[in-house]
Amino acid sequence: MSLKIDDKYLEDFGLKLEDYTISATPEIKTRRIDIVGRDGSVDNGTNYGNNAIKIKVCADESDMGTLFSRLRAFTSWLDPRQGDRQFLFDDDSSVIRFAKLDASSDYSKMKGMDKSVADVELTFVMSDPFTYGATLNSTSHIFAPAESITIANNGGLDAPMVIRFHCTDTASMNPANGIGGVNAGDGISGISISGVKIQVNDTYIKYIGIIYTGDEVVIDTKGMTMVYDEDNALRYWEGDFPKLAVGDNTITVTDDTGLGANVTIEFRERWL
């Protein structure tokens, strides 16, 4: 049994995973309203709170100082100020989780004849309480105007997406000078599309600005962001931030110029 956090295994720190627990579901938050004179309560909806990962790691070493040095190096590397880390347990390697260090126990140590053993229990909070597929699903398609494709979400819950799109023209040129810049790039002057709309089943999101050849718009429907060449472009946002429903999803792309767009959709299936 082992654990990989981001790109490092516990063994990289000279540690072993002794045990771990993950709650079967995130915290369940149901809002109930009591009304005087009425039996029971009014159910005002339910949403999920955080989940938690608890691990117990241990190490053995002939020198006690080396033993604690390993544990200190690991806990320092986990610095929660750096944000969430990606967790992959080798006995459940088809899924990943995102969490950051929240609490720890005191070191527990035992000195033996030849080796000393120490362990520590660490708690990580999953502010994003869901479990995600380890495989990143990616579909790229050059959409003709108003063309549709089908994307299957085989997870247990709706799945947020990262959507990337740009002009269908692939000529090599320098990018434009910012959003709505006067320089459309070298090579083909003025090649652009505008008003790109991505319809996901009954929900849509639209970028109402202009996209020049060589530039790219990236939409994150989980983080609810829209970026044009790394610049915040939410002022060009219209619609909603759709997610892929469980099962088959119909994706339709249109644009105001009628030229079509080159679109890539990335997502991870997710579960509780």
Side-chain angles (χ1 to χ4, degrees):
M1 183 168 60
S2 185
L3 167 63
K4 184 180 182 182
I5 303 178
D6 289 344
D7 59 347
K8 292 185 179 294
Y9 287 92
L10 290 182
E11 289 78 8
D12 295 334
F13 296 92
L15 304 177
K16 299 175 184 177
L17 179 63
E18 190 171 324
D19 195 13
Y20 75 92
T21 60
I22 303 172
S23 299
T25 67
E27 177 188 2
I28 297 174
K29 295 183 174 181
T30 300
R31 297 174 295 280
R32 297 183 176 91
I33 301 173
D34 293 328
I35 299 177
V36 176
R38 175 171 174 168
D39 295 331
S41 59
V42 176
D43 189 326
N44 200 31
T46 300
N47 65 289
Y48 290 114
N50 298 331
N51 204 338
I53 301 172
K54 296 181 180 180
I55 67 173
K56 185 175 183 179
V57 299
C58 64
D60 55 75
E61 182 63 55
S62 57
D63 177 68
M64 187 68 76
T66 303
L67 185 65
F68 283 112
S69 177
R70 288 183 183 179
L71 291 169
R72 283 195 300 270
F74 177 59
T75 53
S76 296
W77 177 75
L78 290 172
D79 186 356
R81 295 172 298 180
Q82 303 303 315
D84 283 350
R85 303 300 184 102
Q86 179 179 299
F87 285 67
L88 187 149
F89 294 91
D90 68 349
D91 60 352
D92 194 13
S93 59
S94 64
V95 297
I96 57 175
R97 299 169 176 89
F98 299 93
K100 71 176 181 179
L101 183 63
D102 186 65
S104 66
S105 69
D106 295 333
Y107 291 124
S108 173
K109 59 182 184 294
M110 181 175 65
K111 189 172 181 62
M113 292 291 293
D114 299 318
K115 289 187 176 181
S116 297
V117 179
D119 58 48
V120 64
E121 295 181 6
L122 303 170
T123 299
F124 301 81
V125 167
M126 297 168 57
S127 297
D128 178 346
F130 303 109
T131 299
Y132 290 86
T135 300
L136 178 65
N137 299 286
S138 180
T139 299
S140 295
H141 189 77
I142 299 176
F143 283 83
E147 182 182 2
S148 298
I149 65 171
T150 299
I151 294 180
N153 170 18
N154 296 315
L157 299 169
D158 57 3
M161 303 169 284
V162 173
I163 305 169
R164 308 173 187 273
F165 55 88
H166 51 83
C167 298
T168 57
D169 194 298
T170 57
S172 176
M173 54 172 52
N174 294 325
N177 292 327
I179 298 175
V182 295
N183 168 31
D186 301 325
I188 301 177
S189 177
I191 297 296
S192 65
I193 57 174
S194 64
V196 176
K197 177 182 177 182
I198 296 99
Q199 180 99 18
V200 182
N201 302 320
D202 297 326
T203 308
Y204 80 91
I205 187 167
K206 185 174 182 178
Y207 173 79
I208 62 175
I210 299 172
I211 309 168
Y212 293 100
T213 302
D215 295 345
E216 182 179 59
V217 172
V218 180
I219 298 170
D220 183 343
T221 70
K222 175 185 172 184
M224 294 189 289
T225 61
M226 178 180 283
V227 174
Y228 183 108
D229 277 5
E230 300 185 0
D231 292 325
N232 185 347
L234 278 175
R235 62 186 179 276
Y236 296 109
W237 162 64
E238 179 184 290
D240 206 341
F241 288 93
K243 296 181 177 66
L244 294 174
V246 176
D248 289 342
N249 295 262
T250 301
I251 314 296
T252 305
V253 176
T254 57
D255 67 282
D256 292 347
T257 47
L259 297 175
N262 193 330
V263 180
T264 297
I265 295 176
E266 300 172 342
F267 73 99
R268 293 183 190 272
E269 294 160 354
R270 67 177 184 172
W271 300 264
L272 288 182

